[in-house]
Amino acid sequence: MHFQNQLDKAKEELKAGLKQKAANRLKNVINVFPDEMGARHLLAELYYDAGFLDMAGRYWYLSEPVNDDRIIQSIEAYNKTINYSPLQALKDIKYRGDKSGLPEYAAMRLQQLENSAAAMGHNRPTFTSKKHIKPTRKMKNKLHIKLQPYIFKLIVVFLFISLVVGVITICILLFNLIKR
């Protein structure tokens, strides 16, 4: 599973002390797999351990607090930094998936934010899906492999058309020579 591979790589990077690289990887995982809460929890833990309570709260925002003072404290710090603005929370969370894939508490929390923003006269911010990922070098190589049969067929068709045009041209030249 691609999600689990990325999560494992992020954990390895954290163990190796590559916190920025792990944070970037986890953010990318969240963008591609918005319904998976594991990456959000891991990123929140990273920020909490680094002392960034507001950033930890941002990624724990959709998590059920379940009597964890760290989560409650971080979410409160995050709310203070955004002045309790539901619209800013929606912009920061950037949820790109279908809410039906979220845990019940997270879907309810997102719905509350949307309702609060609507009550203030704001529309829900829309974010494009990250399913259209730019092809990497490996993907381009795979694309090249997929296109090979079509390229071969295109070359064969081109040669056939060239042959037909050549035969017709030769016939016209011979006809013109005979006609003289």
Side-chain angles (χ1 to χ4, degrees):
M1 176 184 216
H2 180 67
F3 168 74
Q4 193 59 45
N5 290 342
Q6 293 299 315
L7 218 54
D8 291 341
K9 285 181 184 178
K11 288 177 184 176
E12 290 172 13
E13 290 165 353
L14 285 172
K15 287 179 185 174
L18 304 171
K19 292 183 179 184
Q20 182 64 43
K21 190 171 182 178
N24 288 339
R25 182 179 305 278
L26 290 169
K27 287 176 186 177
N28 288 335
V29 168
I30 289 169
N31 284 334
V32 176
F33 302 101
D35 297 340
E36 298 290 343
M37 299 302 285
R40 290 181 188 273
H41 288 293
L42 195 56
L43 189 56
E45 289 284 342
L46 187 150
Y47 281 125
Y48 185 84
D49 292 341
F52 296 107
L53 296 183
D54 55 338
M55 288 300 290
R58 177 181 183 174
Y59 291 100
W60 267 327
Y61 204 85
L62 298 179
S63 300
E64 198 164 357
V66 288
N67 297 328
D68 190 346
D69 291 336
R70 298 176 318 147
I71 295 175
I72 295 169
Q73 179 186 12
S74 298
I75 291 174
E76 183 59 30
Y78 173 68
N79 279 329
K80 284 181 184 175
T81 61
I82 61 169
N83 294 323
Y84 298 91
S85 170
L87 183 62
Q88 187 61 46
L90 285 170
K91 286 180 181 178
D92 288 345
I93 291 171
K94 293 180 189 160
Y95 185 74
R96 291 181 165 87
D98 180 18
K99 285 186 264 185
S100 65
L102 281 173
E104 187 177 328
Y105 180 83
M108 180 193 70
R109 186 80 180 220
L110 264 178
Q111 190 61 48
Q112 285 175 345
L113 286 173
E114 290 173 0
N115 293 342
S116 297
M120 296 171 68
H122 300 288
N123 292 329
R124 179 188 189 278
T126 54
F127 302 101
T128 58
S129 175
K130 290 291 185 178
K131 295 195 183 205
H132 303 291
I133 301 170
K134 291 181 181 178
T136 62
R137 180 175 285 155
K138 289 180 182 178
M139 289 178 174
K140 287 179 184 176
N141 289 342
K142 289 180 183 178
L143 183 65
H144 175 70
I145 291 169
K146 288 179 181 177
L147 290 179
Q148 264 182 339
Y150 298 111
I151 292 172
F152 179 74
K153 290 176 184 176
L154 185 65
I155 291 172
V156 169
V157 168
F158 176 75
L159 289 175
F160 180 73
I161 291 172
S162 298
L163 178 69
V164 170
V165 169
V167 168
I168 291 173
T169 304
I170 290 173
C171 289
I172 291 173
L173 285 173
L174 287 175
F175 183 73
N176 285 339
L177 286 176
I178 295 173
K179 203 175 185 184
R180 285 188 187 172

